[in-house]
């Protein structure tokens, strides 16, 4: 929903200053108040105010059923009294809708709307010439028109205003239809109240008002319990969906998206417990529906709202800024009003913290604490499962010694990239095969563990030199392979030469395990490199690897080592 600009607010107040006194004057001229029974007049006002303060929700619709009361007031004392009653009802309506200084423009907006709609409905009713003396069914027909005009004009007025300020809503929605149905069904109560007032006086408001308010309260309670049940069902469904994800980012994305569907959220923060540093690290930051960078400072245990929830393991709920403003330390957006913060626990230990917030006051019901605790337990399990899975995948894809990809993973990627090449999604695919010269001599002279140290250091050099341009894997033993997507043979040869020179000029630090003192020793190493490319050299992934191997041994090893050789047919 778009913000109302200050010029629009001024226009609304100016319109109200014109329409309000003018409307009252016209109404008084059309239908001056007859002799009032002040008991009836006050009982109608009291009933209308209480009804306005006790709406009930169905799905996403807030239903205020008060038109039956203003119908009875209109039939009893005419248009001017009904207009006064509706203006008085506006006060509890706005209070119930949580009006603030920022949204004070809603008073002139709604007051003007009530005034114009009352005038329109009253003038159409009077123009029919139907009164209570014209028969019961004639009055029923006129009352139905009166009620319909109220609800339809209200709908058109608000729809037009929203369109003017840039909010595009459909003219008819399920919520709108429900509002129409509830309002029209209330008409018989208005007629019944009108006839009872004539017969028994102010007691009629008790005879009809008390049962009506009782039903409203029961519906409110039923809807609340129904909402809790629906939210529990949704949380269970979300929980199952979370546990199906095997990637941590996918788990977090699904959780934050579903949370926004479940609650009126403007801000969502998920903070992970770093046990080594004893602080909360930001994992996910959603602000106004947008994913933001995790560049906020870590939070210590006991600091601010999230730090206190981490420290105590107890959830916190605030529905007004004044309730939490003194609790805050560090970053928090200035337009937040409601905050709900819940520990994410696994095995009764807090492993992360969820902080969700809304710009609205009283945005979160207390039942959401229990819902969020259930969801957060699902989140903790899903994140742990995803981390375990990713850890296992990494182990299955990586060489345990060097941390580079293993040959099995490399072989899969080679097939995938070759498919891309065949589909025309890149122009060339090149491969570098690298072998350490005289590596057996290192093992025999310094020990096998020293050889392992050298392999690890060499893997780091390969990543530094070509990690951005190639997928690097350990081929086996002292051999390494680099896959270069969309690189020609000449480009691959240049990268190979760069790698060869870096290794030749590097001094490797290893421990001399076979000496008496096991001292740290610096040695120099060289490598031989073979390069092949497709489609220039072959149209087969397997042959690409064989061609690079042939270039390595025939073109580099047999010609003196410490060379880069390219395959030639």
């Amino acid at each position: 929903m778009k913000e109302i600009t200050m010029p629009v607010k001024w226009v609304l107040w100016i319109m109200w200053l014109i329409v309000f006194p003018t409307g009252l004057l016209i109404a008084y001229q059309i239908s001056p108040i007859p002799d009032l029974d002040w008991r009836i007049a006050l009982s109608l006002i009291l009933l209308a105010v209480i009804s306005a303060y006790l709406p009930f929700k169905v799905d996403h619709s807030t239903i205020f059923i008060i038109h039956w009361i203003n119908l009875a007031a209109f039939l009893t004392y005419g248009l001017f009294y009904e207009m006064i009653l509706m203006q008085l009802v506006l006060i509890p309506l706005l209070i119930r809708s949580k009006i603030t200084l920022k949204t004070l423009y809603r008073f002139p907006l709604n007051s003007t709307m009530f005034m114009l709609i009352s005038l329109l409905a009253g003038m159409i009713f009077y123009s029919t010439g139907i009164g209570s003396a014209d028969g019961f069914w004639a009055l029923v027909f006129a009352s139905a028109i009166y009620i319909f005009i109220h609800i339809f004009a209200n709908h058109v007025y608000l729809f037009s205003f929203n369109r003017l300020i840039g909010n595009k809503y459909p003219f008819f929605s399920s919520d709108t239809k429900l509002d129409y149905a509830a309002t029209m069904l209330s008409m018989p109560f208005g007629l019944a109240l009108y006839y009872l007032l004539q017969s028994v006086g102010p007691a009629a408001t008790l005879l009809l008002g008390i049962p009506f308010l009782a039903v409203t309260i029961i519906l409110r309670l039923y809807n609340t319990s129904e909402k809790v049940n629906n939210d529990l069902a949704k949380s269970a469904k979300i929980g199952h969906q979370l546990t199906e994800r095997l990637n941590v980012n996918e788990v977090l994305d699904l959780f934050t998206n579903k949370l926004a569907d479940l609650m009126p959220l403007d801000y969502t923060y998920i903070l992970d417990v770093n046990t080594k540093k004893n602080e909360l690290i930001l994992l996910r930051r959603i602000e106004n529906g947008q994913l933001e960078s995790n560049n906020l400072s870590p939070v210590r245990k006991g600091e601010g709202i999230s730090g206190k929830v981490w420290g105590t393991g107890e959830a916190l709920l605030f529905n007004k800024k004044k309730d939490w403003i003194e609790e805050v330390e560090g970053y928090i957006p200035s337009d937040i009003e409601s905050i709900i913060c819940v520990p994410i626990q696994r095995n009764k230990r807090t492993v992360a913290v969820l902080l969700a917030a809304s710009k609205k006051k009283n945005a979160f019901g207390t039942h959401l604490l229990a819902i969020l605790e259930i969801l957060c337990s699902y989140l903790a399990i899903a994140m742990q499962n995803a981390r375990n899975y990713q850890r296992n995948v990494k182990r299955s894809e990586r060489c345990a010694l060097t941390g580079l990809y293993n040959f099995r993973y490399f072989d899969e990627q080679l097939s995938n990239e070759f498919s891309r090449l065949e589909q025309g999604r890149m122009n060339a695919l090149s491969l570098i095969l690298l072998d350490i010269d005289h590596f057996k001599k290192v093992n025999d002279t310094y020990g096998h563990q020293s050889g392992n140290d050298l392999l690890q250091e060499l893997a780091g050099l390969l990543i530094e030199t070509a990690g951005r341009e190639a997928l690097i894997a350990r081929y086996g033993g002292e051999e390494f392979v680099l896959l270069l997507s969309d690189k020609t043979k000449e480009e691959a040869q240049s990268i190979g030469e760069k790698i060869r020179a870096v290794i030749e000029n590097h001094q490797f630090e290893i421990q001399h395990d076979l000496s008496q003192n096991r001292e740290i020793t610096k040695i120099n190493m060289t490598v031989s490199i073979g390069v092949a490319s497709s489609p220039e050299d072959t149209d087969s992934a397997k042959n690409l690897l064989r061609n690079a191997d042939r270039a390595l041994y025939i073109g580099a090893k047999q010609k003196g080592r410490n060379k880069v050789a390219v395959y030639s047919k």
Side-chain angles (χ1 to χ4, degrees):
M1 182 174 180
K2 293 190 176 181
E3 293 280 338
I4 306 299
T5 62
M6 189 56 68
V8 172
K9 293 178 182 179
W10 276 110
V11 168
L12 290 174
W13 280 105
I14 292 168
M15 282 180 59
W16 179 78
L17 288 171
I18 296 170
V19 172
F20 186 78
T22 305
L24 287 178
L25 179 61
I26 294 172
Y28 188 80
Q29 290 175 341
I30 293 173
S31 174
I33 297 180
D35 292 335
L36 283 176
D37 183 331
W38 288 103
R39 296 172 304 163
I40 293 177
L42 291 175
S43 66
L44 283 170
I45 291 172
L46 182 61
L47 180 60
V49 168
I50 294 173
S51 295
Y53 203 75
L54 291 174
F56 62 92
K57 284 191 175 183
V58 178
D59 293 331
H60 299 292
S61 302
T62 302
I63 309 296
F64 294 92
I65 303 182
I66 56 173
H67 286 295
W68 67 284
I69 304 170
N70 75 284
L71 172 63
F74 173 76
L75 294 175
T76 305
Y77 290 127
L79 177 60
F80 183 77
Y81 172 78
E82 183 268 347
M83 196 175 282
I84 295 294
L85 180 140
M86 288 302 292
Q87 293 297 314
L88 292 173
V89 163
L90 178 59
I91 297 170
L93 278 175
L94 293 177
I95 292 172
R96 193 68 181 80
S97 300
K98 302 179 180 66
I99 192 171
T100 63
L101 286 174
K102 191 176 180 180
T103 59
L104 194 61
Y105 69 88
R106 290 166 59 190
F107 173 78
L109 172 69
N110 286 278
S111 177
T112 302
M113 177 183 71
F114 283 180
M115 185 73 68
L116 294 174
I117 290 172
S118 291
L119 273 174
L120 177 65
M123 291 172 71
I124 291 176
F125 182 91
Y126 290 137
S127 68
T128 63
I130 297 172
S132 59
D134 294 312
F136 174 76
W137 289 110
L139 186 60
V140 169
F141 177 72
S143 298
I145 293 175
Y146 173 86
I147 289 284
F148 180 79
I149 290 169
H150 261 277
I151 187 64
F152 182 74
N154 178 80
H155 179 199
V156 170
Y157 182 93
L158 291 177
F159 176 81
S160 302
F161 174 75
N162 277 294
R163 280 301 175 101
L164 283 172
I165 64 172
N167 291 324
K168 295 186 178 181
Y169 301 124
F171 187 72
F172 273 113
S173 65
S174 57
D175 290 354
T176 307
K177 294 171 185 176
L178 187 61
D179 199 16
Y180 272 77
T183 303
M184 293 304 298
L185 287 172
S186 71
M187 185 202 69
F189 288 91
L191 283 172
L193 181 57
Y194 165 64
Y195 283 116
L196 272 175
L197 285 170
Q198 290 182 327
S199 302
V200 300
T205 56
L206 296 176
L207 291 172
L208 272 180
I210 290 176
F212 190 88
L213 293 176
V215 170
T216 301
I217 292 169
I218 291 169
L219 285 172
R220 281 163 55 87
L221 293 173
Y222 171 78
N223 186 69
T224 300
S225 63
E226 191 73 10
K227 180 170 175 53
V228 171
N229 291 334
N230 288 337
D231 287 348
L232 283 170
K234 287 179 183 177
S235 66
K237 186 177 180 180
I238 295 169
H240 292 307
Q241 292 174 334
L242 286 172
T243 52
E244 291 172 356
R245 300 297 190 276
L246 294 175
N247 179 283
V248 172
N249 284 329
E250 288 181 5
V251 169
L252 292 172
D253 287 340
L254 176 65
F255 180 81
T256 51
N257 289 337
K258 294 296 183 181
L259 203 62
D261 294 337
L262 190 66
M263 301 163 55
L265 292 181
D266 296 302
Y267 301 92
T268 306
Y269 305 94
I270 299 175
L271 303 100
D272 192 36
V273 172
N274 186 322
T275 52
K276 291 182 180 179
K277 295 184 178 180
N278 199 36
E279 59 189 17
L280 289 172
I281 306 295
L282 193 61
L283 275 183
R284 191 54 50 101
R285 175 186 174 194
I286 309 291
E287 296 187 349
N288 298 309
Q290 299 296 318
L291 179 64
E292 302 291 346
S293 62
N294 298 336
N295 59 354
L296 302 182
S297 300
V299 177
R300 293 283 181 182
K301 185 178 284 190
E303 291 180 352
I305 295 172
S306 54
K308 287 183 179 178
V309 168
W310 174 26
T312 62
E314 300 290 333
L316 291 174
L317 172 62
F318 304 98
N319 272 316
K320 293 178 183 177
K321 180 181 285 191
K322 66 178 183 180
D323 296 335
W324 56 259
I325 192 66
E326 294 182 1
E327 304 279 344
V328 172
E329 293 181 34
Y331 171 83
I332 195 162
S334 60
D335 56 354
I336 285 178
E337 282 289 345
S338 301
I339 291 177
I340 189 167
C341 191
V342 178
I344 301 171
Q345 296 185 325
R346 189 176 66 251
N347 299 326
K348 297 183 179 180
R349 184 172 62 88
T350 300
V351 295
V353 172
L354 165 69
L355 189 147
S358 172
K359 298 175 184 178
K360 297 179 181 178
K361 293 181 180 179
N362 304 302
F364 308 127
T366 53
H367 77 284
L368 285 174
L369 285 171
I371 301 292
L372 281 184
E373 286 175 351
I374 294 171
L375 274 178
C376 286
S377 65
Y378 280 120
L379 177 63
I381 294 169
M383 286 180 63
Q384 184 61 36
N385 289 344
R387 282 171 173 166
N388 289 338
Y389 176 79
Q390 288 179 292
R391 194 178 295 116
N392 291 332
V393 167
K394 185 176 180 180
R395 286 174 181 169
S396 70
E397 293 176 347
R398 299 278 180 171
C399 163
L401 176 65
T402 63
L404 299 175
Y405 289 111
N406 57 31
F407 180 74
R408 184 186 66 79
Y409 179 79
F410 170 82
D411 196 43
E412 290 176 359
Q413 295 306 308
L414 176 60
S415 297
N416 293 338
E417 293 302 280
F418 224 91
S419 296
R420 290 181 62 213
L421 179 66
E422 291 173 337
Q423 294 165 7
R425 295 164 64 187
M426 58 183 173
N427 298 317
L429 179 64
S430 297
L431 190 147
I432 293 174
L433 192 61
L434 175 152
D435 182 83
I436 301 174
D437 296 327
H438 303 296
F439 182 69
K440 184 176 183 300
K441 190 176 179 180
V442 175
N443 286 337
D444 293 342
T445 305
Y446 301 104
H448 283 84
Q449 185 55 49
S450 298
N452 286 342
D453 292 343
L454 187 144
L455 291 173
Q456 289 176 321
E457 194 168 347
L458 177 59
L461 278 179
L462 290 175
I463 292 170
E464 287 178 15
T465 308
R468 293 184 179 181
E469 299 176 286
L471 186 150
I472 309 172
R474 187 181 179 193
Y475 187 61
E478 68 271 23
E479 290 184 317
F480 298 83
V481 61
L482 291 83
L483 186 63
L484 298 100
S485 300
D486 219 12
K487 298 287 185 185
T488 64
K489 185 189 287 187
E490 290 74 19
E491 289 172 319
Q493 183 181 7
S494 176
I495 293 170
E497 182 58 40
K498 182 180 177 182
I499 291 170
R500 187 205 63 76
V502 167
I503 294 171
E504 181 185 25
N505 296 317
H506 182 77
Q507 282 196 317
F508 292 84
E509 278 193 4
I510 59 174
Q511 184 171 302
H512 195 332
D513 287 334
L514 301 185
S515 69
Q516 186 174 359
N517 297 323
R518 305 180 72 177
E519 68 274 6
I520 300 297
T521 303
K522 292 185 177 182
I523 65 170
N524 291 97
M525 293 296 301
T526 62
V527 294
S528 296
I529 292 173
V531 178
S533 184
S534 182
E536 182 177 345
D537 297 329
T538 182
D539 57 1
S540 162
K542 187 176 291 186
N543 285 339
L544 181 64
L545 192 55
R546 284 179 171 173
N547 291 344
D549 193 37
R550 181 178 176 84
L552 167 65
Y553 282 95
I554 295 177
K557 288 283 188 185
Q558 292 182 10
K559 293 185 178 180
R561 295 181 171 83
N562 192 24
K563 296 180 183 301
V564 177
V566 297
Y567 175 78
S568 59
K569 296 181 181 179

